[in-house]
Amino acid sequence: GENVEQHPSTLSVQEGDSAVIKCTYSDSASNYFPWYKQELGKGPQLIIDIRSNVGEKKDQRIAVTLNKTAKHFSLHITETQPEDSAVYFCAAYVTGGGNKLTFGTGTQLKVEL
Amino acid sequence: NAGVTQTPKFQVLKTGQSMTLQCAQDMNHNSMYWYRQDPGMGLRLIYYSASEGTTDKGEVPNGYNVSRLNKREFSLRLESAAPSQTSVYFCASRRLPEGDTEAFFGQGTRLTVV
């Protein structure tokens, strides 16, 4: 089955700096890669996603890049703000892969003032 | 719309006790899921239901059972709770079982087994 590795497990940045979280996946058939943000005491919420036919996608301060050859994808947050502090999860989905989203282990992002 | 609603939010069980975690969604979604979240291990799939009337095992199904009661509701049952089942449980739903559709999560149930 699919295996998703996520790094780093914790990340601390100064407000205004950029943050990058990286994930690798094992199944070359994976074709959908969402990113979820989980605030304290809440369930994960989708913030951005990318499909396998796209190399990069941006939404304001958030961007995701995908390298299918290397089987890795990354989340980029620019001009970080304190409200960006949360746990971020990457995930991978294989069409026909048993209907499952496989999640990474999460990254605790802390944006310091 | 409430989205995905889980009950209870917190629960403490003694080893060997049973309980059912409830989940309901009001988005007319076809697929529903149960995940557990443990430190350093991300979200692991316990069971899922691609559509009303079907259920399948996920990555960590041992010690759990599920029921897809109707299109809205998907419950998770612990027949004989063990300390290893101490975790935060999340229910999620998706409009379609296949393809790139967003998963919506409930707020979670924090379960402690002593």
Side-chain angles (χ1 to χ4, degrees):
Chain A
E2 176 66 282
N3 182 50
V4 178
E5 294 188 358
Q6 183 173 347
H7 300 281
S9 57
T10 60
L11 179 60
S12 183
V13 299
Q14 294 293 316
E15 183 180 8
D17 287 349
S18 295
V20 180
I21 302 170
K22 298 181 179 181
C23 290
T24 60
Y25 60 98
S26 60
D27 193 332
S28 57
S30 291
N31 55 13
Y32 174 59
F33 307 90
W35 285 88
Y36 286 81
K37 176 183 181 182
Q38 184 181 25
E39 297 178 341
L40 193 63
K42 297 184 178 181
Q45 188 169 11
L46 181 73
I47 55 171
I48 195 168
D49 56 15
I50 192 167
R51 291 152 184 82
S52 59
N53 59 346
V54 176
E56 183 177 5
K57 183 177 179 180
K58 291 183 179 179
D59 184 2
Q60 299 181 3
R61 295 187 296 107
I62 294 173
V64 58
T65 58
L66 171 65
N67 183 326
K68 287 181 62 179
T69 302
K71 290 191 284 187
H72 66 70
F73 57 112
S74 301
L75 177 71
H76 304 254
I77 305 174
T78 59
E79 301 173 17
T80 53
Q81 301 169 3
E83 52 264 39
D84 294 329
S85 295
V87 178
Y88 292 82
F89 290 98
C90 62
Y93 177 85
V94 181
T95 298
N99 190 22
K100 298 188 290 288
L101 270 176
T102 301
F103 285 86
T105 50
T107 297
Q108 175 75 61
L109 174 64
K110 183 177 181 181
V111 180
E112 298 178 338
L113 298 173
Chain B
N1 285 341
V4 179
T5 303
Q6 292 182 234
T7 55
K9 288 186 169 55
F10 301 94
Q11 184 71 49
V12 178
L13 288 178
K14 293 181 178 180
T15 298
Q17 286 185 319
S18 63
M19 79 161 295
T20 300
L21 280 65
Q22 306 287 352
C23 175
Q25 52 90 10
D26 62 2
M27 297 173 283
N28 200 34
H29 284 176
N30 289 288
S31 301
M32 298 185 74
Y33 307 78
W34 277 105
Y35 289 89
R36 60 178 288 174
Q37 183 177 21
D38 302 291
M41 303 191 76
L43 292 157
R44 292 183 294 168
L45 183 65
I46 304 171
Y47 270 94
Y48 65 97
S49 172
S51 60
E52 186 179 356
T54 68
T55 60
D56 286 284
K57 295 178 180 179
E59 182 184 354
V60 288
N62 291 345
Y64 306 95
N65 285 300
V66 291
S67 295
R68 183 75 182 267
L69 305 171
N70 48 55
K71 192 172 185 179
R72 290 186 65 247
E73 298 173 288
F74 188 39
S75 63
L76 178 72
R77 183 161 178 83
L78 286 71
E79 290 291 351
S80 178
S84 61
Q85 294 178 305
T86 294
S87 187
V88 181
Y89 292 84
F90 287 99
C91 177
S93 70
R94 298 174 75 195
R95 183 172 60 86
L96 297 172
E98 294 290 348
D100 51 2
T101 55
E102 179 178 354
F104 291 83
F105 286 83
Q107 294 221 343
T109 296
R110 185 174 293 275
L111 175 67
T112 302
V113 183
V114 298

